[in-house]
Every structure is written in C-alpha cells, then in structure tokens.
Amino acid sequence: MAAANEFVSGKKAVEELDAALEQAGLAGLATAVRKSPYAAPTLQQGCAAISVDMREGEWPCTFRDSATYIRQAGNDEAENVLTEMQRMVELDKCTTKMDEWVNMLYSYRGKSRTFPGITDKNKESKAEIYTNQLEILQPAMDDLHDMWRDCSASISLVCKEMSSLLIQKKKQEIWNEELIWRLFALLDKIFILDNLKNMKASINNDLASYKRAQQVLAMDTSSRADIAQQQMQDMQFYTYLAKTDHNVCNLREEVFKVKEGNLTYVWVVGELLKYCLANAEAVWNGQTDLGAPLLLPAEKHAVFRLMPVCIVLLGQDAKEVKELMQDKGAGKEVQLGKTIKEVMEWIARRPVCHVFGDMQAAAINTLALAPWHQELLVGSFKDMVQPTDLPDERALKIGGRYALRNNLEAVRKEHQALAIALHQLSLSLNALPQQHPGPSAVVSTLLRAIAAISHWTCLVLRQTSWKCCRPKGRRGEG
C-alpha cells in the first residue's frame, strides 16, 4: 500500500494514477474523473487524496492507493481495482445509511403513552380517536419499516462480500485491507442498531397501539379474512421489532450459509477476529497509527464490540467451534485456535464495552447468542459471567483497567506535550512564508491532537460503561 506521504498533493496523486492507468490501457481516466463536479480535493487518513465519483450518484471514493496497486499488480489487474473500489463504495453507502438509522433510533421517543384510553365517556368517538392515533404513529412505523428493510439489505451485502472474498481467496488474490475495514464497520453498525432496538421498549408499545388502531378501524371496512391476510404480510416486520437481537441472529443464520467450494465463512470471520486482536492493545492504550481508520472513539470501540460478535459467527455447533479452538478437523487449515484463545482472554479481562451515547454492552450477552453457548460457556469460556456476578476480587482488578484515575498522569503529560506542539505550530504558521512548516508537518500535528482527544474521550466512556454495568461495586473498582 502507498505510504502516507507518497502523494504530497492532489495533483500529484492524479498524475501518478494517470501514469499507472495509462500502462493498463485506461489512459486519462483519473484526469477525466477529476473534472467531475464531485471530484474536490480532500484530506483523508493523513495524506492528500482525490475524492472521485465512482458512477454511483454523489458518493465519493478515494484513489489514495490505486496507482501503487495497479503498478504492483500489472495491467491484467486494472479492472479488478475498479471493481474493488465499487465494492467499497457500496459498503460505505450501506454503512452511512445504517448510521442514519442508529441516530434515528437513539433519538426515538415513544408516543403511545400520551394517547387517551377508550372509556364509557369517549367510546362514541372511538373511531376518531383511533384514526388520530394512526395518523400520529404512521410516520414512525414507516421509518421503522424502512430501517428493517435496510438492515436486511445490509446483512445480504455482508454475506455477498464474504462470498466475494472467498472467491478471491480461491484465486489466491490478496484481500484489500481497506475493504476489510469497510466490512468491519458495517458489521459494527448492525450490532449497534440491535442494541439500540433492544433498549427502546417504547417501540413495541407504539407498535401495539398501532396494531390495535389498525384492527379496530379495519373491522368497519374489511372482512376478517382481509385483516388476517394483512397481519400475515406484516408478521416479519412485527417479529423484527418485537424480537431482541434480531439483527445479529439473522446475520448469524445468513453468514452460516456462505460457502464457495471448500471454503466457508470461517475464513472471513477469522480474518475479522485477527483484525480485532491485532489492534486491541494499541487501541486500548491510545497508540494506533495516525494513518489507520481507528482514529475516532466510535471506530476504536468497534474493535471491542465486534470481538464477541465474531466469536458468535465462528460456527453452528459446539463440535465445529471446538475443532476451530483446537486446530483440528475443519479448523486444521484455518489455524484460529491461538487467536480464539487470546480473544476470549481479552474479553474476560475487559468484559464491558461502550456502544453508543450513554449505552454499554456486556460481552456475555452477545456470546449468549451463539447456538453453542450453553455448552461452551460453562466449559472453555467459563470465565464469562455478568459483570454484576463477578467476585469482588476479580471485579477490583477489572475495574482498575477501566479506572480513569489510573490514566490521569499519562493524560496530563500528553496534554502538556500536545499544547507545546500546537503552540509551536501556531507560531510557525504566523512566521514568514519561507519559514512555514510543510503540509505533512501540519497534518501530522493536527492528527496527533485529534488522536489524543479521541483517546481521552475513550477513557471517560470506558469508565462510564464499567460503572453502568456494575453500579454497586466496591470502592476502588474504577
């Protein structure tokens, strides 16, 4: 992949890409794309890049590493680059849409509690009351129905991408790390949305009021057969709203079907699990690479949120998962035993993670969604218990890892060093033009500041999450 400072300007990036594409028989493509009204220069991941329209409406995608990839892969791979970028665009679109639903769901407030009940005094106006209730609830139900549809589409896209990755593996093609990250981010949104839906009891209260109003009004205009048929058509949607963890459970069932020849979903899930483990320690200590995607708090916590999700997706039964853990049978070729062990040890030491806003999740609740959890959680994963059920001595050790006070000295030193660096940058920018620092120095300092603020935010959110999951712990737990 291209080094972060390889392209010092957007113009240079396009020139490099033009040269590579010309060798691949696609001369002038990058320059032509740059003339698009959406091709404005942007700053992404610590290097200058060009945002371009990839024939998908107004959605931008970067050519940051494409020139280097094409030069290394050769002419025959030029079309693969464009196809891969289209796949990343599709994943980005879906992730952004899911992010909109996350914000909608977090701000959702129940309406049915404000509705008047039907009494002897107002029963003559029953039809009017239910009509008004239906008018109030219909926009919310429409939004929730669209959310259900988009969640199903997101899960289908995840499975489609897993299949594409398995096809690439059969061809012995290297997986694109940028694409893996985008798949990772979409899975995280699916998990967050599930947790938000679980929290919103008001959704099912509104759904009950909506169904009741529909049935009462339909009785005057429709036959019982028509009403029953409509209820059957809406049953999947109603089940989605009523069932907790529906997204993850549906994802689990669909992922288990992914297979290409003798390769199964386990290869992709294993790669995601390794990604989590490889970044976990650095993310926890605020030492991630400034050029990596894991810069913002939401991205950092995704590493911890998806660890138990990936464990759930490892297999359909205890026998299959045991083989993976022991690198035997089906797991002999995949070699995930060590990774699974280290991930479970990590989760046992840090069993709580931040989800969204003021929400948090305990890993044990996610692991319980595995079809084999009742057998393995009392065996191989016996250390996994609810935070409130932890013995005091163990909870004290875990709480110390989440405690903000244990990081205050390091934060003070980092804050002081960062304040000096920003002050020096300010002075140099106000100096004579010939004394100005280069673009890379400015970007590096600003990214360093963003990374520090992000880490400090994570420290606060981590302690809050632990306190909310174990509110009655002993003094000194964090």
Side-chain angles (χ1 to χ4, degrees), residues 398-443:
I398 293 175
R401 300 185 184 107
Y402 287 90
L404 182 60
R405 67 174 183 275
N406 293 339
N407 297 279
L408 285 179
E409 187 61 32
V411 168
R412 290 191 184 102
K413 290 180 180 178
E414 187 178 25
H415 179 272
Q416 186 177 9
L418 191 58
I420 294 172
L422 290 172
H423 181 64
Q424 290 175 341
L425 178 62
S426 176
L427 292 176
S428 60
L429 289 174
N430 290 324
L432 296 173
Q434 58 269 28
Q435 296 177 343
H436 284 183
S440 60
V442 175
V443 170

Side-chain angles (χ1 to χ4, degrees), residues 4 44-47 64 178 288-295 447:
Q44 179 167 330
Q45 297 190 0
C47 69
R64 185 180 64 134
E178 296 275 350
T288 50
D289 181 4
L290 296 183
L294 301 170
L295 182 61
L447 280 176

Side-chain angles (χ1 to χ4, degrees), residues 191-459:
F191 174 74
I192 291 174
L193 203 58
D194 239 9
N195 277 266
L196 281 166
K197 186 171 70 68
N198 294 346
M199 180 187 72
K200 295 289 182 177
S202 56
I203 290 178
N204 284 309
N205 294 336
D206 286 355
L207 177 62
S209 296
Y210 177 76
K211 290 166 65 177
R212 182 167 57 251
Q214 265 192 331
Q215 291 170 359
V216 170
L217 294 175
M219 290 297 292
D220 298 332
T221 58
S222 307
S223 66
R224 291 185 179 274
D226 292 335
I227 295 173
Q229 183 179 5
Q230 184 61 42
Q231 288 177 337
M232 287 298 295
Q233 291 175 352
D234 294 335
M235 187 58 65
Q236 284 185 314
F237 171 56
Y238 296 156
T239 301
Y240 169 74
L241 293 183
K243 184 179 178 181
T244 58
D245 301 303
H246 188 282
N247 285 334
V248 175
C249 290
N250 189 26
L251 172 70
R252 180 191 67 195
E253 300 307 317
E254 293 303 315
V255 165
F256 287 163
K257 300 174 185 177
V258 176
K259 185 177 182 181
E260 293 293 336
N262 62 340
L263 299 178
T264 67
Y265 58 90
V266 174
W267 287 94
V268 183
V269 174
E271 189 66 24
L272 294 171
L273 203 57
K274 291 175 183 177
Y275 185 92
C276 290
L277 188 62
N279 289 283
E281 195 69 39
V283 167
W284 186 269
N285 296 319
Q287 298 171 347
T288 50
D289 181 4
L290 296 183
L294 301 170
L295 182 61
L296 303 178
E299 297 168 347
K300 291 175 181 290
H301 288 294
V303 172
F304 311 123
R305 286 192 290 263
L306 285 189
M307 277 186 176
V309 174
C310 290
I311 293 292
V312 170
L313 298 179
L314 280 176
Q316 304 181 57
D317 54 52
K319 179 178 179 294
E320 186 177 348
V321 176
K322 282 181 178 178
E323 287 182 349
L324 291 174
M325 293 173 62
Q326 298 169 2
D327 293 332
K328 296 179 180 179
K332 189 173 182 179
E333 190 176 0
V334 187
Q335 291 291 309
L336 285 177
K338 182 180 178 182
T339 300
I340 296 172
K341 180 182 177 182
E342 291 179 357
V343 166
M344 291 307 300
E345 288 174 351
W346 175 276
I347 294 175
R349 292 195 303 267
R350 300 167 181 86
V352 172
C353 67
H354 176 256
V355 175
F356 188 84
D358 57 350
M359 292 177 54
Q360 57 286 322
I364 182 66
N365 296 328
T366 304
L367 292 172
L369 300 177
W372 38 262
H373 79 279
Q374 289 185 333
E375 182 174 346
L376 289 189
L377 286 183
V378 298
S380 305
F381 303 160
K382 60 181 179 301
D383 289 337
M384 298 305 304
V385 296
Q386 291 289 350
T388 51
D389 297 333
L390 286 168
D392 287 345
E393 185 177 351
R394 185 177 165 202
L396 192 63
K397 292 181 180 178
I398 293 175
R401 300 185 184 107
Y402 287 90
L404 182 60
R405 67 174 183 275
N406 293 339
N407 297 279
L408 285 179
E409 187 61 32
V411 168
R412 290 191 184 102
K413 290 180 180 178
E414 187 178 25
H415 179 272
Q416 186 177 9
L418 191 58
I420 294 172
L422 290 172
H423 181 64
Q424 290 175 341
L425 178 62
S426 176
L427 292 176
S428 60
L429 289 174
N430 290 324
L432 296 173
Q434 58 269 28
Q435 296 177 343
H436 284 183
S440 60
V442 175
V443 170
S444 177
T445 304
L446 293 179
L447 280 176
R448 180 184 163 196
I450 294 172
I453 295 172
S454 173
H455 179 55
W456 302 340
T457 304
C458 287
L459 292 176

Side-chain angles (χ1 to χ4, degrees), residues 51-200:
S51 284
V52 297
D53 179 36
M54 288 297 295
R55 308 176 219 152
E56 291 284 344
E58 303 179 7
W59 200 259
C61 183
T62 179
F63 272 142
R64 185 180 64 134
D65 295 317
S66 300
T68 301
Y69 183 89
I70 293 174
R71 286 198 302 270
Q72 293 174 350
N75 297 352
D76 294 340
E77 297 295 328
E79 289 190 11
N80 291 344
V81 175
L82 299 179
T83 301
E84 208 164 64
M85 293 176 73
Q86 289 283 62
R87 289 164 59 191
M88 288 192 283
V89 167
E90 193 174 359
L91 285 167
D92 278 340
K93 276 187 172 181
C94 203
T95 302
T96 301
K97 190 63 181 177
M98 294 293 283
D99 207 25
E100 292 174 3
W101 291 127
V102 166
N103 288 292
M104 183 278 289
L105 208 55
Y106 185 73
S107 59
Y108 188 94
R109 294 296 180 270
K111 303 168 182 64
S112 57
R113 292 184 64 181
T114 64
F115 294 160
I118 303 300
T119 64
D120 292 337
K121 294 181 179 180
N122 60 12
K123 64 181 179 180
E124 298 299 327
S125 305
K126 181 171 67 173
E128 181 182 357
I129 291 173
Y130 281 128
T131 299
N132 291 336
Q133 290 182 8
L134 208 58
E135 289 178 357
I136 293 171
L137 290 172
Q138 191 64 57
M141 291 298 116
D142 289 343
D143 282 344
L144 291 169
H145 193 278
D146 290 343
M147 181 185 75
W148 167 58
R149 179 200 63 200
D150 287 341
C151 285
S152 299
S154 297
I155 291 171
S156 297
L157 180 58
V158 167
C159 295
K160 176 185 171 183
E161 281 304 320
M162 285 187 170
S163 294
S164 298
L165 289 168
L166 292 178
I167 291 172
Q168 285 184 265
K169 184 167 185 63
K170 287 177 67 176
K171 296 178 180 179
Q172 297 184 336
E173 295 177 358
I174 298 174
W175 289 348
N176 189 319
E177 188 177 345
E178 296 275 350
L179 194 147
I180 293 293
W181 159 250
R182 284 164 169 80
L183 179 62
F184 183 87
L186 180 55
L187 284 168
D188 183 51
K189 296 301 178 185
I190 292 172
F191 174 74
I192 291 174
L193 203 58
D194 239 9
N195 277 266
L196 281 166
K197 186 171 70 68
N198 294 346
M199 180 187 72
K200 295 289 182 177

